[in-house]
Structure formats: C-alpha cells, structure tokens
Amino acid sequence: MTVTTTTAKGNRVRALVYGDVDLNIIDGSAIWAQAMVQALREADVEVTLVLKAPVRTDRLVAPLERLPGVTVRRRPEDATGPLTVEAAARLLTELDAAEPYDLIVVRGRRLAVRVTATPLAGRLWTYLTDVPQNAAEMVAPANKGVRGELAAVARASRFLLCQTEELRCFLEGMLHKAAGKCVLFPPVVVLPEGLEPTPGRTPGRPLKLVYTGKFAPRWNTYEMTALPRRLAARGVEAELHMVGDKIHNDRTDPGFSRRMRVALESTPGLVWHGGHPRAEAMRVTSTCDIGLSWRHPDLDASLELSTKVLEMGGLGVPVVLNRTPMHENLLGPDYPLFAGTEDEVVDVVAAAAEPATYTVARDRCLKAAREFTLQAAADRLRGYLRTAFPSAPEGAGRTKVVVAGHDLKFFTRLLDHLRSLPNVEVRVDRWPALGKHDPEVGRELAAWADVVVCEWCGPNAIWYSEWLKRHGRPDQRLIVRLHRFELYGAWPGRLDIDAVDQVVCVSPHYADLTRKMTGWPAGKVTVIPNWVDDAQFGRAKLPGAEHHLGLIGLAPWRKRLDLAVDVLERLRRDDPRFTLFIKSKLPWDLPWIWNRSEERERFEALFRRIRRSPLLAPGVVFDPAGPDVASWLRRVGFVLSTSDDESFHLAPAEGMASGAVPALLPWEGSDRIYDRRWIHDDPAAMADAIAAVVAEGRWEEERARAREEVRRSYALDLVCDRWAELVLTRSSDDAAGRTPTTCPAPTPSA
C-alpha cells in the first residue's frame, strides 16, 4: 500500500531538484541526479528537475521526462552555456517564489552556500560530497572559510544528505550544527528494464574486464590498459572493455589526455565502446566478468562510495577495488578482489579466473548491491518525509504556540516537530540567561499565544504563570517542563500552580517526587519521557565495539566515574581488550565544579589512580564533549550509568538506540525507566555481567533486545506525538482533572 505524504495544506509534497552537474556527461554526479528524481517520485513526491546545461544528449534526461509527476526544466537551446552558481540560485528562487516548493534538493557546495541567504533556507535538503575529506583538509589554509560556509549550510538545511556513514560521522564531528541533521542517502542502483544479474562467468572464453566512467589519472584508467598484456604473461587470456568519452585534461600531467586516447584506440585486447547511455553502459557491463574500480591510494580516504561498484555488483559482476575501511564494511575484510597496486590487480584477477574465488567475489557484490536499490532509497526518503511533514493529532485545530526558556537543548527536536505540524505557528521567547528576560517581548508573546510551553520550571515559568493569571484569556494554556535541577531550587515554590495546566516530568519517580515536594494537584503532574532519535543513533558498530565501554558525562562527582573505573579494572584483569571511552568536558573546564574543593580533590585523586595504574592507564580514553554522540557511539558496545542519582539519564537510552547494551547501577527510579535486566547491584556484578555477555557470545542478542526496548518506549516519533497531543488538543475536562500522560513501563525480563 502506498502512503502519500502531504504538506500542512493537505497537498502532495512538491520538490525542486538542482544539481551543479552536467547531465550530458555520464558520471557519478549525473547518475545521482537521475536517481534522486526517480527515488523522490517512487516516494510519491511531485518533482521539478532544473538542468544546469543545455541538453546535447538526452541519454539521462529522456527517461525522467517519461515519468508521471516529473517536470524537467531544460535550458533554452540557444543558451550560451551552463548556469553559473549565481544564475542557478536566482532561477531556483524565482521558481519557488512563483509557486512555492515544500523542499529543495541541491547538490554542490558553492550553490548550497549561495542559497543559504535566500528564502529557500530552512527547506533545503542539501547533498554534500565536494567537501574536504579529512580534518587536516578542513582546516588547511587553502580551505580557509570552508568550515564556516558549511556551518551556514547546515543551519539553513532541513537535512544534510550524506552518501556514506563515514561522511555523516565526519561532518558531525567537524560541524556541530550538522549533528541531528545528517541523514543517509547512499548511491542508488537501478538496473535497466529487462536487465538481470548475470549467472556468472562463461567458461571457455577470454576473461572480460570492464571499466565504465571518466578517464582520469587518479582513476588508474591508463594503467588498466596494460592488464590484458600482463595477464597474458600469466597465462590468463583477457579482454578489457572500456565505456566512456570523458578524458580529463590534467594540469599536473599535461600528456595524460593524449596517452589515454592513444591507448584506448590502439591497445591490443582493449575494446573502447565510447560514450553510451547509462542503460547501454550497464548492458555492456553485464556481458563481462570482472569490473575495475581500482584507484590511486590518494583516494583511499575518500568518504564517497562509487556508484559504479554497486551497479556492477547488482549485475553480478564482481569488482576489483582498493582495500579501505568503507569497502571492508561493504564487502567484508576477506573479500578476494581487494588490490592496491598494479601487481596486486594482476594477482587477484588471475586468482579470480578460478571458479571458487570468482563465486565468492560475485556473491559478496550481489549481496552488497541489494542494500542500494531504488526501493530502498524511496523507503529512506519516505521516513525523512514523515519527519519533515508530520501529521497533527486528531482533533487539533489552528494553534499559536510560544516556547520560552533560556536553554532549549533538551527541547530542540520537539520544537522542530511542533514547527512542522500543520496549522501550528510557533514563536520562541529565548531568555538570554536563566533570570534575564525582556518583559515587553514576553507580554507581546503571551497575549498572542494559545499555548505557552516553558522549558525549565524556573523564572520563565514564574513570569508566565503570573502574567497569565492576571491577564490571560480563559482559553489560554500554560505547560511547564520540570527537570531535576529546578525541583531542588526555590522556583517551584514560587510558581502559581493555579495558572498552570500541566507540569511535565521526564520520569515516573520524579513525577512522584514533584507531587510530594510541592503538594501540587496530582492530575497536573504528568510524565512524558525524554526522546531518543533512534533513527539517528541506529548505525553500524565498528570492529571491537563489544569490548568497549562508554560513559557520557563525568561531572559532577555524583556521576561516579570512579565506579565506572572499578568496572573497567575488574574486566581488564582477565581481558585487556576492554577499554573505557569517556565523552565529556573535564572537571577543570567547569568552574562551578572545579572551584568546589571537595569535588576537585575527589577528581584529582581519581585521575592519579588512573595515571599510576599499569592496568588502567592504557584502558581509559577521554573524548571531547560535543553533539556528535551518535557517531561516537559506533565504537561503544556497553553504555554505563554509574550515577548516585538521575532523573532519567539519557545516555543509556542513546546507547541502546545505537545498538549498545546498557549497564546501570541502581539509582532511585532507574527500574521504572529501564528493564531490571540491565541494572546491577554493584560494580563487580556489572563487570561480571558484561564479561559473561561477551564470553558467551550473547552481545548481538542483548543489544538487539535493548534497541527494541528503547524504540518501543522512547523513540523520537513517539515522544513527539505525545507532546503534540498535549500541546494541541484540549480535553473537555478541566486541566486538573486530566489523566496524566505516562511513559510505558519497561518490559520485565523474561
């Protein structure tokens, strides 16, 4: 069944697509444009594709023009050349002004930077590939200003579409604004109609090698032309088939273009097919035995995945390619056709002439390609569309919402969700500090709002409760979210609870404690748990993760890093592979902690213990604090919670969403948030349980169970729906008589 995603106005979603690419040239970027349009259309989106260059060959364009719901805006035939970045930005803005689009997909860093300052900002789905590929390049003098430009692009984008997990993690680590916005859109493999995977190599004929794409020095295309001769010397009869017509003029090697053309035209055993439509290039590939995607080592650090590799795999043609972590993750570290030098290429191709080796390589490539189908791409896009264009709860009407607070870091995704809902207008009263506020702004927003949400039960909640009590309309509502921090302060005692419709706590234990400490009516205190973006955290683990413990946040002392170190020490006595990774600011970076002598002395003693212990010193790694937690958790197999007390403690839930196993000590209320199977009596019991999970081979089973638990109880979409229902629907009963919203209790262990 097809589910159509609609906008706030109830219309089918409309997308404007522009890539800073030339669709006359068949390369990875042009194929991306074609695949993006096809995947959006498959996801039931109406698409307008704007072409950069006049059409000289419609090999890629014609199939798109035949798709229903797709409009291709060609360049005029008399156009002098391709659109410049400035001209493209103007054209996209003009098209959107004439008939606004719901989302704008752009590819190309310079174009993306240019449109951040246009009305398109906020609706951009930006596909980034032409960015520095490592930290050294990002901060190099030649790239001065690039990091700031990319941060602006991240701010202006609804999503940053990343081709690979490696690129997503890199961007999140370098650009904090990108965290939470980076989503995967890998290459798409669409086999031409009627073309199926080949059954395998035909015995009794020469081994047929194939390369399709551009001819360039770092793509080793000239070196490939020597393969038939070198294989013949090894007793392997081979042909090389090359498809493409784009030969680079390389400034560092002025003679390359001439040498390449001569080799293509005159090398014995080489068949040059010239340029062809993508479908025909794939048909040529399907007649061959082994594909070539062997490149210069300079490209090993690339964060991009070759579409050609996946297309060949989808056709059942195994591929020779460089050994990199990305390729090992795709095909397995023991894939038999990895090669880094010309000699190695000859060796692995000769070995692949043997049926057993060939079959292993072919099966690996076929299996990998199945993850990159058009249907898989459309399913990904449907998920992103549901996030960008959510449905309002039943019975919700037009609502004006004010969100007020000094620190909205725990409310960001809920705020995004409210802003995305149909018939909802959201304004933010951002206080400069906990007790600093512009009363004139507050009065204007309070008078305008139907609903006010105060994030933190602090001075902001007191101010709005007093104003609404004196001046508010009968239909206005006030919702206050209370954290552990405020409960032990003076603010709840000053809050005019009569003016408050609902106080939201993040856990049942703290809801009970709030009722007990404040005496507020029980019906006014409700529970909506913290959210976990399980889609963002659900990433493949890195090798060795089952021996890696993770702790997020080590200060103040009540987080009890010392107990986590006790766990590590016990584990490393038997297995030195266990390592504790700590993602946190250090205590001396937090003056409010370091200036307290008791805290400082405890931390100093603990760090001395770690530094002086031969067992601990090599096993503790400190990583900087930052929003790139999802990337960091890829290396972590167990997430610890060793605190004396917590109101919810998000870290175990984030770890569970990442596919790590949670391990908690029994702080009060923990068993009302997390299943008791994850809670251990003391550090020794925690260490023994972790060791047993690994030794008995149960890690995969346990982490799957943990991920399912967090998805069922704390997934972002579920929590957003609860908040939308609370904010946008009004019970016929008085607020005080409402049935509190609660988070589901953790499922008991079997």
Side-chain angles (χ1 to χ4, degrees):
M1 181 179 68
T2 299
V3 178
T4 300
T5 302
T6 57
T7 65
K9 296 180 180 179
N11 302 321
R12 179 173 288 176
V13 174
R14 299 175 64 247
L16 183 62
V17 178
Y18 181 83
D20 194 17
V21 299
D22 188 341
L23 268 70
N24 295 296
I25 301 170
I26 299 180
D27 60 9
S29 58
I31 291 171
W32 166 88
Q34 185 185 55
M36 173 58 75
V37 172
Q38 291 173 314
L40 284 168
R41 188 67 205 102
E42 186 73 14
D44 206 35
V45 174
E46 292 184 9
V47 185
T48 297
L49 171 67
V50 179
L51 299 184
K52 173 182 178 178
V55 175
R56 298 191 302 274
T57 171
D58 61 0
R59 293 177 294 190
L60 294 178
V61 174
L64 299 179
E65 292 180 316
R66 292 193 291 267
L67 289 175
V70 172
T71 301
V72 178
R73 290 188 61 95
R74 295 188 176 215
R75 293 276 284 141
E77 292 184 5
D78 59 352
T80 57
L83 287 168
T84 65
V85 167
E86 286 295 325
R90 283 196 303 272
L91 177 57
L92 296 178
T93 305
E94 290 167 2
L95 291 173
D96 180 69
E99 191 175 1
Y101 289 84
D102 303 301
L103 63 98
I104 297 90
V105 180
V106 296
R107 172 174 176 151
R109 189 183 82 208
R110 292 175 58 234
L111 175 68
V113 171
R114 174 62 182 80
V115 295
T116 58
T118 71
L120 307 181
R123 289 173 288 151
L124 298 174
W125 291 31
T126 307
Y127 186 86
L128 288 175
T129 57
D130 53 340
V131 298
Q133 299 281 300
N134 56 60
E137 284 185 23
M138 184 72 83
V139 299
N143 289 321
K144 184 179 181 181
V146 168
R147 194 170 179 179
E149 290 177 348
L150 291 175
V153 170
R155 282 193 296 270
S157 298
R158 181 64 180 87
F159 293 118
L160 293 172
L161 304 176
C162 300
Q163 192 198 66
T164 62
E165 186 63 71
E166 288 75 10
L167 177 61
R168 173 160 69 160
C169 292
F170 172 70
L171 290 176
E172 289 174 338
M174 298 300 298
L175 308 168
H176 286 177
K177 293 292 182 182
K181 291 190 175 186
C182 290
V183 297
L184 291 179
F185 188 78
V188 181
V189 176
V190 183
L191 297 185
E193 188 174 350
L195 198 60
E196 299 290 335
T198 60
R201 185 186 172 204
T202 302
R205 64 167 170 80
L207 190 68
K208 299 175 74 172
L209 312 179
V210 62
Y211 171 84
T212 67
K214 61 189 174 186
F215 301 104
R218 293 200 298 173
W219 272 248
N220 287 339
T221 52
Y222 181 74
E223 288 77 3
M224 290 176 189
T225 63
L227 292 177
R229 173 180 53 81
R230 295 201 58 184
L231 286 165
R234 296 278 293 269
V236 178
E237 187 180 1
E239 297 174 358
L240 173 61
H241 294 256
M242 304 191 90
V243 182
D245 55 9
K246 182 179 180 181
I247 302 177
H248 274 224
N249 289 309
D250 194 89
R251 289 180 298 177
T252 62
D253 184 359
F256 172 80
S257 178
R258 180 187 57 79
R259 291 197 313 275
M260 188 73 239
R261 180 169 292 278
V262 169
L264 288 168
E265 293 174 343
S266 61
T267 300
L270 190 158
V271 181
W272 183 25
H273 295 263
H276 282 286
R278 182 185 180 205
E280 181 58 29
M282 293 175 75
R283 285 190 178 92
V284 172
T285 299
S286 71
T287 67
C288 297
D289 302 310
I290 295 177
L292 298 175
S293 187
W294 158 58
R295 297 178 177 179
H296 192 279
D298 286 352
L299 299 176
D300 284 354
S302 172
L303 303 177
E304 300 178 34
L305 179 59
S306 170
T307 306
K308 293 293 192 304
V309 168
L310 301 172
E311 288 178 344
M312 291 174 179
L315 290 169
V317 177
V319 189
V320 176
L321 71 172
N322 301 54
R323 180 185 293 277
T324 69
M326 183 191 303
H327 292 156
E328 286 188 344
N329 187 52
L330 180 72
L331 298 168
D334 58 344
Y335 177 70
L337 299 188
F338 285 137
T341 66
E342 187 175 330
D343 288 343
E344 289 176 359
V345 173
V346 174
D347 289 341
V348 299
V349 170
E354 297 298 324
T357 302
Y358 184 87
T359 300
V360 169
R362 177 181 181 275
D363 290 348
R364 293 282 182 87
C365 289
L366 267 173
K367 182 180 178 182
R370 293 190 191 109
E371 302 296 320
F372 300 89
T373 62
L374 179 62
Q375 189 57 53
D379 288 343
R380 286 181 187 274
L381 290 176
R382 288 188 189 99
Y384 306 152
L385 289 164
R386 285 193 296 270
T387 298
F389 305 103
S391 301
E394 188 175 346
R398 186 171 297 278
T399 309
K400 295 178 287 188
V401 180
V402 167
V403 176
H406 72 289
D407 180 358
L408 303 180
K409 65 175 176 286
F410 297 122
F411 206 79
T412 52
R413 305 302 292 279
L414 303 176
L415 185 58
D416 288 342
H417 184 77
L418 291 174
R419 283 171 165 160
S420 300
L421 290 168
N423 297 320
V424 176
E425 186 177 354
V426 179
R427 298 181 184 177
V428 176
D429 182 7
R430 195 178 295 275
W431 289 39
L434 182 64
K436 292 184 178 180
H437 181 225
D438 185 335
E440 185 175 343
V441 170
R443 286 191 290 270
E444 179 183 344
L445 292 174
W448 171 84
D450 297 315
V451 181
V452 176
V453 179
C454 285
E455 168 67 340
W456 306 92
C457 183
N460 58 331
I462 295 169
W463 189 92
Y464 273 97
S465 69
E466 291 175 349
W467 193 95
L468 290 171
K469 184 68 174 289
R470 295 173 185 170
H471 310 290
R473 304 186 306 271
D475 64 324
Q476 288 183 297
R477 291 186 295 135
L478 175 60
I479 299 169
V480 177
R481 191 155 82 136
L482 185 148
H483 305 252
R484 178 189 182 281
F485 165 70
E486 309 97 271
L487 184 58
Y488 294 97
W491 303 294
R494 295 169 52 197
L495 182 69
D496 190 335
I497 195 63
D498 292 337
V500 178
D501 289 77
Q502 205 84 93
V503 175
V504 178
C505 298
V506 296
S507 71
H509 171 67
Y510 268 81
D512 291 346
L513 201 57
T514 296
R515 296 183 189 105
K516 179 179 179 181
M517 292 178 63
T518 63
W520 291 339
K524 286 200 174 187
V525 181
T526 190
V527 176
I528 302 181
N530 279 324
W531 51 268
V532 180
D533 191 342
D534 60 305
Q536 274 286 330
F537 281 92
R539 310 183 186 191
K541 290 294 182 186
L542 297 174
E546 66 272 21
H547 289 97
H548 294 166
L549 318 179
L551 189 74
I552 304 173
L554 62 77
W557 180 259
R558 63 180 176 82
K559 295 288 186 179
R560 298 306 299 269
L561 172 60
D562 61 319
L563 300 182
V565 170
D566 290 345
V567 173
L568 177 70
E569 189 171 44
R570 188 177 179 94
L571 286 167
R572 284 179 64 85
R573 285 173 187 157
D574 297 321
D575 190 340
R577 290 177 294 177
F578 280 103
T579 305
L580 175 61
F581 292 89
I582 303 162
K583 187 171 183 61
S584 177
K585 288 185 176 181
L586 295 169
W588 47 81
D589 295 325
L590 301 165
W592 65 277
I593 290 175
W594 201 242
N595 291 337
R596 293 160 57 186
S597 59
E598 184 179 3
E599 291 264 327
R600 184 174 64 253
E601 289 167 4
R602 285 176 168 176
F603 277 115
E604 287 175 337
L606 177 59
F607 289 137
R608 281 196 299 271
R609 172 191 169 192
I610 295 171
R611 186 173 64 250
R612 294 174 179 176
S613 167
L615 196 61
L616 292 173
V620 180
V621 178
F622 293 93
D623 292 314
D628 56 330
V629 177
S631 301
W632 179 82
L633 279 168
R634 292 188 69 202
R635 76 179 73 172
V636 173
F638 294 86
V639 172
L640 309 188
S641 174
T642 52
S643 305
D644 289 334
D645 64 279
E646 294 281 356
S647 60
F648 184 92
H649 206 193
L650 193 58
E654 291 177 336
M656 293 162 76
S658 80
V661 178
L664 296 87
L665 293 181
W667 39 267
E668 194 170 6
S670 58
D671 60 346
R672 299 176 69 183
I673 301 172
Y674 298 104
D675 191 325
R676 286 183 177 86
R677 74 181 291 113
W678 316 121
I679 302 172
H680 310 282
D681 292 337
D682 53 42
M686 182 184 287
D688 292 345
I690 291 171
V693 165
V694 175
E696 295 166 12
R698 292 187 288 110
W699 181 66
E700 290 288 351
E701 174 190 344
E702 291 293 282
R703 73 194 199 92
R705 186 195 299 263
R707 180 160 168 74
E708 174 57 29
E709 179 184 318
V710 81
R711 176 72 187 88
R712 189 172 56 246
S713 299
Y714 308 124
L716 175 61
D717 57 343
L718 300 180
V719 176
C720 283
D721 286 345
R722 291 175 193 156
W723 267 98
E725 183 178 0
L726 178 65
V727 172
L728 303 182
T729 61
R730 186 180 181 99
S731 168
S732 58
D733 302 324
D734 291 335
R738 291 191 188 121
T739 301
T741 304
T742 59
C743 60
T747 305
S749 303

